[in-house]
Amino acid sequence: MPAKPIINRSWIPLNALRAFEAVGRHLSFTAGGQALNVSQSALSRHVQTLESLLGSPLLIRRPHGLELTASGQALLPAISRSFDAIEREMNEIIRNRGRPSHQRTLRVHMPPSFLQQIAIPALKYFHRQYPDILIDVFSSNGTGMPNEEPDVAVVYDRPQVSQTVTDLLWMIDVAPVCAPEIAEAHKGKSLEQFLRDNELLHVKLEGQARGIKWASYAQQLGLDVNTDRGLAFDTASYATSYAISGAGVALTDLNLFAPELAAGRLVVPYDAVIDEGYGYFLILRPEDLADPVVALFRSWMIEHCARPPAADRPI
C-alpha cells in the first residue's frame, strides 16, 4: 500500500482553507461567499479541492443546509485559530508602526464597573512601573467575551469550561445596598417590606431582561416583590452612585464597592447576601502565556485583585 501523502506548509492550499473556514463558520455557501466577496461556485470548488487533498469529506450537503463531518469539526477550529492569530499579529504590527521596537500595545477588555472601580485607580501604578507597555483599554456591558478579541480580557460570566486560560478573580456576592439615611428611615421593616417601599435600581445587561438580577434575588430568598419597577442604568457604578445620592436600593457586588461601604457612604441594611452565580474572570489565549507582556499583566492583575479591596484603592 502506498504511503499516505504528508501535508507540508510549502503547499498548504491557503485559498481552499479560507473558503472552507468561511463556509464552515456560516454553514452556508451563500453567506460564506458574501463574507469573502467571492461566488458560491468558487467556494464550492475550493472546498472540493481541500476534500480531495485530505481524502475525507468536510461537509455534508443536505437539502435543508450544510453540516460539518467529524473531520470538518476537527479542522474548522484549527483553521479559525490560525487565521485569527495571523490577523491579530498583522494588526499589531500596523498599530505599532512607527513606535520604538521595545514598545508594544496590550489590548485589554474590562466590564465598565470593574474598570471604574478596580482598574482605573490601579492602572496608573502599573503604567508607572512599566512605562514601555502601552495599554489600550476598551469596555462592553455584557456577559462573556466581547466581540472584538483582546489580548487579555476581564469578563463578567458564569464559570464554564473553555479552551482559554481562565483565572477566577472572585465570585460575586450581592446584597441590597443604600445610603445610610435610607436604611435609617426604614429601620425595623422586614427585607420584603423594605424592598417594596423603595425604588429598585437595575443594571442593564446586553440581551437580558432589565429586572433579571432583582428577580433572581427575590426568587432565591422567596420574597414577594415586584422587581420590574424602578430605574435602570447602563452600569453598576451608575446604579450604585444613584443609591449613594440618597435614592433607591441597588443590588451590588460587595467586593466591587468595598471602598464605598468602608467609608460609610453605602450600607448593607440586611444580612441577606447571596452568591449571584457569576464572577469576574481573567481570560487569555493559551499561546499568549509565552508572551512576557501578557504574562506580566496577568500576574499583576491576579495579585492586585487578591488584595483586600479597600486596602489599596483610595476612596
Short mmCIF file of all heavy atoms in Angstrom, two decimals, residues 4 20 31 43 50 55 65 73 78 84 103 109 119 128 142 155 180 211 218 223 227 265 297 303-304 312:
data_model
loop_
_atom_site.label_atom_id
_atom_site.label_comp_id
_atom_site.label_asym_id
_atom_site.label_seq_id
_atom_site.Cartn_x
_atom_site.Cartn_y
_atom_site.Cartn_z
N LYS A 4 0.65 7.35 2.68
CA LYS A 4 -0.24 8.50 2.56
C LYS A 4 0.59 9.77 2.48
O LYS A 4 1.59 9.92 3.19
CB LYS A 4 -1.19 8.57 3.77
CG LYS A 4 -2.18 7.41 3.81
CD LYS A 4 -3.10 7.54 5.01
CE LYS A 4 -4.10 6.39 5.05
NZ LYS A 4 -4.99 6.47 6.20
N PHE A 20 -13.08 27.09 3.05
CA PHE A 20 -13.73 26.16 3.96
C PHE A 20 -14.05 26.84 5.30
O PHE A 20 -15.13 26.62 5.88
CB PHE A 20 -12.85 24.93 4.20
CG PHE A 20 -13.34 24.06 5.32
CD1 PHE A 20 -14.55 23.37 5.22
CD2 PHE A 20 -12.61 23.95 6.51
CE1 PHE A 20 -15.02 22.59 6.26
CE2 PHE A 20 -13.08 23.17 7.55
CZ PHE A 20 -14.28 22.48 7.43
N ALA A 31 -23.63 32.61 2.44
CA ALA A 31 -23.09 33.52 3.45
C ALA A 31 -21.57 33.53 3.43
O ALA A 31 -20.93 34.57 3.61
CB ALA A 31 -23.59 33.12 4.84
N LEU A 43 -16.27 29.04 -4.13
CA LEU A 43 -16.10 28.44 -2.80
C LEU A 43 -16.27 26.93 -2.86
O LEU A 43 -15.51 26.18 -2.24
CB LEU A 43 -17.12 29.03 -1.82
CG LEU A 43 -16.84 30.41 -1.24
CD1 LEU A 43 -17.84 30.71 -0.13
CD2 LEU A 43 -15.44 30.51 -0.70
N LEU A 50 -10.01 20.84 -1.33
CA LEU A 50 -9.49 20.51 0.00
C LEU A 50 -9.91 19.11 0.42
O LEU A 50 -9.11 18.34 0.98
CB LEU A 50 -9.98 21.56 1.01
CG LEU A 50 -9.43 21.46 2.44
CD1 LEU A 50 -7.91 21.57 2.45
CD2 LEU A 50 -10.05 22.54 3.32
N GLY A 55 -8.69 13.51 1.29
CA GLY A 55 -9.30 12.19 1.12
C GLY A 55 -10.42 11.95 2.11
O GLY A 55 -10.71 10.81 2.48
N GLY A 65 -29.60 22.30 4.21
CA GLY A 65 -28.40 23.07 4.52
C GLY A 65 -27.17 22.20 4.65
O GLY A 65 -27.16 21.04 4.24
N GLN A 73 -15.42 19.18 11.69
CA GLN A 73 -15.48 19.71 13.05
C GLN A 73 -14.11 19.81 13.68
O GLN A 73 -13.84 20.71 14.49
CB GLN A 73 -16.40 18.84 13.91
CG GLN A 73 -17.87 18.92 13.53
CD GLN A 73 -18.72 17.93 14.31
OE1 GLN A 73 -18.26 17.30 15.25
NE2 GLN A 73 -19.97 17.79 13.91
N ALA A 78 -9.20 24.70 14.15
CA ALA A 78 -7.76 24.86 13.96
C ALA A 78 -7.47 25.93 12.91
O ALA A 78 -6.58 26.78 13.07
CB ALA A 78 -7.13 23.53 13.55
N ASP A 84 -7.02 33.68 12.94
CA ASP A 84 -7.16 34.71 13.98
C ASP A 84 -5.79 35.20 14.44
O ASP A 84 -5.58 36.41 14.64
CB ASP A 84 -7.94 34.16 15.18
CG ASP A 84 -9.43 34.02 14.91
OD1 ASP A 84 -9.90 34.59 13.92
OD2 ASP A 84 -10.10 33.32 15.69
N GLN A 103 8.67 48.96 22.40
CA GLN A 103 7.31 49.26 22.84
C GLN A 103 6.31 48.33 22.16
O GLN A 103 6.51 47.91 21.03
CB GLN A 103 6.94 50.71 22.53
CG GLN A 103 7.51 51.72 23.50
CD GLN A 103 6.91 53.10 23.27
OE1 GLN A 103 6.40 53.39 22.21
NE2 GLN A 103 6.98 53.94 24.28
N HIS A 109 -9.63 44.17 27.67
CA HIS A 109 -11.06 44.40 27.83
C HIS A 109 -11.43 44.27 29.30
O HIS A 109 -10.93 43.37 30.00
CB HIS A 109 -11.88 43.40 27.03
CG HIS A 109 -13.34 43.39 27.41
ND1 HIS A 109 -13.85 42.60 28.44
CD2 HIS A 109 -14.40 44.10 26.95
CE1 HIS A 109 -15.14 42.84 28.56
NE2 HIS A 109 -15.50 43.73 27.67
N ALA A 119 -9.88 48.95 38.07
CA ALA A 119 -8.74 49.14 37.18
C ALA A 119 -8.25 50.58 37.11
O ALA A 119 -7.04 50.82 37.15
CB ALA A 119 -9.08 48.64 35.78
N ARG A 128 3.26 53.35 35.73
CA ARG A 128 4.48 53.94 36.28
C ARG A 128 5.61 52.93 36.33
O ARG A 128 6.77 53.25 36.10
CB ARG A 128 4.21 54.47 37.68
CG ARG A 128 3.40 55.76 37.73
CD ARG A 128 3.07 56.11 39.16
NE ARG A 128 2.13 57.23 39.24
CZ ARG A 128 1.51 57.58 40.36
NH1 ARG A 128 1.74 56.91 41.48
NH2 ARG A 128 0.67 58.60 40.35
N GLY A 142 -21.80 43.42 29.01
CA GLY A 142 -22.50 42.16 28.78
C GLY A 142 -21.79 41.04 29.51
O GLY A 142 -20.88 41.28 30.30
N VAL A 155 -13.78 39.36 32.23
CA VAL A 155 -15.17 39.21 31.82
C VAL A 155 -16.05 38.90 33.02
O VAL A 155 -15.60 38.32 34.01
CB VAL A 155 -15.35 38.10 30.75
CG1 VAL A 155 -14.52 38.39 29.52
CG2 VAL A 155 -15.01 36.73 31.31
N PRO A 180 -27.04 55.61 53.96
CA PRO A 180 -27.34 55.43 55.39
C PRO A 180 -28.69 56.01 55.80
O PRO A 180 -29.41 55.42 56.62
CB PRO A 180 -26.19 56.15 56.09
CG PRO A 180 -25.08 56.19 55.09
CD PRO A 180 -25.73 56.26 53.75
N GLY A 211 -34.96 43.55 34.63
CA GLY A 211 -35.08 43.24 36.06
C GLY A 211 -34.57 41.86 36.45
O GLY A 211 -34.89 41.37 37.53
N ALA A 218 -34.90 37.96 44.43
CA ALA A 218 -36.17 37.76 45.14
C ALA A 218 -36.59 36.30 45.12
O ALA A 218 -37.09 35.76 46.12
CB ALA A 218 -37.26 38.64 44.51
N LEU A 223 -38.96 36.12 48.24
CA LEU A 223 -39.57 37.41 48.54
C LEU A 223 -40.67 37.73 47.52
O LEU A 223 -40.49 37.53 46.32
CB LEU A 223 -38.51 38.52 48.49
CG LEU A 223 -37.29 38.34 49.40
CD1 LEU A 223 -36.28 39.45 49.14
CD2 LEU A 223 -37.72 38.32 50.87
N THR A 227 -40.36 43.19 40.98
CA THR A 227 -38.98 43.57 40.65
C THR A 227 -38.86 44.29 39.30
O THR A 227 -37.75 44.59 38.87
CB THR A 227 -38.08 42.32 40.64
OG1 THR A 227 -38.61 41.36 39.71
CG2 THR A 227 -37.99 41.70 42.02
N ARG A 265 -20.47 55.48 52.98
CA ARG A 265 -21.36 56.14 52.01
C ARG A 265 -22.45 55.20 51.54
O ARG A 265 -23.50 55.64 51.07
CB ARG A 265 -20.55 56.65 50.83
CG ARG A 265 -19.61 57.80 51.20
CD ARG A 265 -18.96 58.39 49.98
NE ARG A 265 -17.95 57.50 49.41
CZ ARG A 265 -17.54 57.53 48.15
NH1 ARG A 265 -18.10 58.39 47.31
NH2 ARG A 265 -16.61 56.72 47.72
N PHE A 297 1.17 41.22 32.78
CA PHE A 297 -0.09 41.86 33.12
C PHE A 297 -1.02 40.90 33.84
O PHE A 297 -1.72 41.29 34.79
CB PHE A 297 -0.77 42.40 31.85
CG PHE A 297 -1.98 43.23 32.12
CD1 PHE A 297 -1.86 44.57 32.44
CD2 PHE A 297 -3.26 42.68 32.09
CE1 PHE A 297 -2.98 45.35 32.71
CE2 PHE A 297 -4.38 43.44 32.36
CZ PHE A 297 -4.24 44.78 32.67
N GLU A 303 -2.64 39.42 41.26
CA GLU A 303 -2.13 39.86 42.56
C GLU A 303 -2.93 41.06 43.09
O GLU A 303 -3.28 41.12 44.27
CB GLU A 303 -0.65 40.24 42.43
CG GLU A 303 -0.03 40.72 43.73
CD GLU A 303 1.41 41.18 43.57
OE1 GLU A 303 1.95 41.04 42.45
OE2 GLU A 303 1.97 41.71 44.55
N HIS A 304 -3.24 41.99 42.20
CA HIS A 304 -3.99 43.17 42.62
C HIS A 304 -5.38 42.79 43.15
O HIS A 304 -5.83 43.30 44.17
CB HIS A 304 -4.13 44.15 41.47
CG HIS A 304 -4.94 45.36 41.80
ND1 HIS A 304 -4.49 46.37 42.60
CD2 HIS A 304 -6.22 45.70 41.47
CE1 HIS A 304 -5.43 47.28 42.75
NE2 HIS A 304 -6.48 46.91 42.07
N ASP A 312 -6.00 49.08 49.04
CA ASP A 312 -5.12 49.82 48.15
C ASP A 312 -5.88 50.58 47.10
O ASP A 312 -5.33 51.02 46.11
CB ASP A 312 -4.12 48.87 47.49
CG ASP A 312 -4.76 47.94 46.49
OD1 ASP A 312 -5.97 47.76 46.56
OD2 ASP A 312 -4.05 47.42 45.61
#
